[in-house]
Amino acid sequence: MSAPVLVIRLGALGDFVQSFGPFAAIRAHHPGRRIVLLTTPPFAPLARRSPWFDEVWEDGRPAWTDIPAVLRLARRLRAEGFEWVYDLQTSGRSSRYRLMVGLGAKWSGTAWGASHPHANPRRTVMHTLERQRDQLEMAGIHHFPPPALDWLDADLSDFALPPRFALLVPGASPHRPGKRWPVAGFAAFAAGCGLPCLVLGGKGEAALAAAITRAAPGAIDLAGRTSIPQVAALARRASFALGNDTGPTHLIAAAGCPTLALFGDESDPALCAPRGPAVAVLRHAPLSALGVEDVRAAMAGLAPR
């Protein structure tokens, strides 16, 4: 029996979504091989639904101070006898896992001494998708089939959904407020949208969602009520989506929903813009000064479903 293959992708959500193509390419390159994904708990349910992995391990980011957990992960990685490791995280943490796996494994990534290093000096100025593709090509993978996304669905029977609706994603990293279009802009957009707007986000964004639904009575507050697979399922059915540069916006775009992604000056869409069948990017610096009419004009060019 052939030795197994390890793929490392710990997060975050936007980066995980932009690894769908590389995941599919690795699966196609190793037909019949047992492929294990090392990730973290938020992304394990999504990964288990996908067709690319035989096993999903979600213990990929133990605290370095939790010595027993680190040792458990090290023993688990060493015991599998992986022949190939594709490190799509390419962080300092994931590079250190090379010592846990064993130096005999073929390694694609940026770890010191990797057998197949991603040695392109321009890797830091490449979009995530192009960077990962370039990395895999240097490891001998040259076939990149479009990733099948028919599995990207979930049960929505708990929600009383209107026949047609739009999605709003008003959140983003709480530590980077410059990535958030002001909630007043989302509220004004929702009030004049012409469709009910479903407001998505985590529990920490409940205040944003509440402010939008107060200003736009037809909006529906789903903050803290949806799993990652359910966000994808909503995206498959929505007419269009408007969101900041944050993980759910990437997932919605990948699921095929016409998506307008808003960028300020804290992130560069040339490096990390969402990708999908119908995606537009509107960048304004500062994002707080972006007007709702400009957003409506950009959305009009997306041809909502």
Side-chain angles (χ1 to χ4, degrees), residues 84-85 105-110 113-119 135 137-140:
W84 267 101
V85 179
K106 299 171 186 174
W107 189 282
S108 168
T110 56
S115 61
H116 296 74
H118 188 208
Q135 174 186 335
E137 286 178 336
M138 288 188 173

Side-chain angles (χ1 to χ4, degrees), residues 93-173:
R93 168 185 283 274
S94 61
S95 293
R96 285 193 284 273
Y97 290 172
R98 182 167 178 259
L99 296 175
M100 297 183 181
V101 170
L103 300 182
K106 299 171 186 174
W107 189 282
S108 168
T110 56
W112 180 86
S115 61
H116 296 74
H118 188 208
N120 189 333
R122 292 184 51 79
R123 70 181 310 274
T124 59
V125 295
M126 303 171 76
H127 188 280
T128 301
L129 282 178
E130 278 72 51
R131 185 181 71 246
Q132 292 181 117
R133 179 171 180 142
D134 191 59
Q135 174 186 335
L136 295 184
E137 286 178 336
M138 288 188 173
I141 295 179
H142 302 291
H143 176 50
F144 292 85
L149 298 179
D150 54 327
W151 56 273
L152 203 56
D153 211 345
D155 180 19
L156 298 175
S157 59
D158 288 343
F159 308 119
L161 298 176
R164 297 184 69 239
F165 56 86
L167 302 178
L168 299 184
V169 186
S173 170

Side-chain angles (χ1 to χ4, degrees), residues 161-168 189 193-198 200 231-242 252-253 255-260 278-279 299-305:
L161 298 176
R164 297 184 69 239
F165 56 86
L167 302 178
L168 299 184
F189 180 88
C193 175
L195 286 179
C197 289
L198 277 54
L200 306 180
V231 170
L234 289 168
R236 292 172 67 93
R237 294 158 177 81
S239 294
F240 61 86
L242 171 67
I252 289 165
C257 182
T259 302
L260 177 62
V279 180
M299 183 64 77
L302 256 181
R305 294 186 292 202

Side-chain angles (χ1 to χ4, degrees), residues 1-271:
M1 181 180 294
S2 300
V5 172
L6 177 67
V7 179
I8 303 174
R9 194 31 138 173
L10 307 179
L13 178 57
D15 296 325
F16 193 89
V17 170
Q18 294 198 338
S19 291
F20 285 174
F23 292 160
I26 293 168
R27 175 79 275 175
H29 189 69
H30 295 283
R33 288 286 190 98
R34 177 169 155 263
I35 299 182
V36 176
L37 174 70
L38 181 64
T39 189
T40 51
F43 314 112
L46 194 64
R48 291 190 176 109
R49 288 173 179 266
S50 79
W52 304 312
F53 308 109
D54 299 290
E55 290 184 34
V56 176
W57 298 355
E58 54 186 86
D59 53 349
R61 192 179 274 153
W64 292 120
T65 54
D66 188 348
I67 302 302
V70 172
L71 291 177
R72 281 195 300 272
L73 177 60
R75 285 193 294 268
R76 192 179 193 187
L77 289 170
R78 181 61 64 94
E80 287 296 325
F82 292 110
E83 179 184 3
W84 267 101
V85 179
Y86 297 96
D87 177 13
L88 301 180
Q89 193 71 25
T90 59
S91 65
R93 168 185 283 274
S94 61
S95 293
R96 285 193 284 273
Y97 290 172
R98 182 167 178 259
L99 296 175
M100 297 183 181
V101 170
L103 300 182
K106 299 171 186 174
W107 189 282
S108 168
T110 56
W112 180 86
S115 61
H116 296 74
H118 188 208
N120 189 333
R122 292 184 51 79
R123 70 181 310 274
T124 59
V125 295
M126 303 171 76
H127 188 280
T128 301
L129 282 178
E130 278 72 51
R131 185 181 71 246
Q132 292 181 117
R133 179 171 180 142
D134 191 59
Q135 174 186 335
L136 295 184
E137 286 178 336
M138 288 188 173
I141 295 179
H142 302 291
H143 176 50
F144 292 85
L149 298 179
D150 54 327
W151 56 273
L152 203 56
D153 211 345
D155 180 19
L156 298 175
S157 59
D158 288 343
F159 308 119
L161 298 176
R164 297 184 69 239
F165 56 86
L167 302 178
L168 299 184
V169 186
S173 170
H175 308 295
R176 301 176 69 184
K179 293 182 71 174
R180 292 187 175 189
W181 191 38
V183 67
F186 279 101
F189 180 88
C193 175
L195 286 179
C197 289
L198 277 54
V199 187
L200 306 180
K203 292 180 179 179
E205 283 135 7
L208 299 178
I212 293 170
T213 54
R214 282 195 301 269
I220 300 170
D221 182 354
L222 294 184
R225 296 177 56 197
T226 54
S227 65
I228 293 176
Q230 285 176 322
V231 170
L234 289 168
R236 292 172 67 93
R237 294 158 177 81
S239 294
F240 61 86
L242 171 67
N244 295 319
D245 173 26
T246 187
T249 303
H250 286 262
L251 179 60
I252 289 165
C257 182
T259 302
L260 177 62
L262 305 180
F263 279 74
D265 52 6
E266 289 204 15
S267 53
D268 186 352
L271 303 180

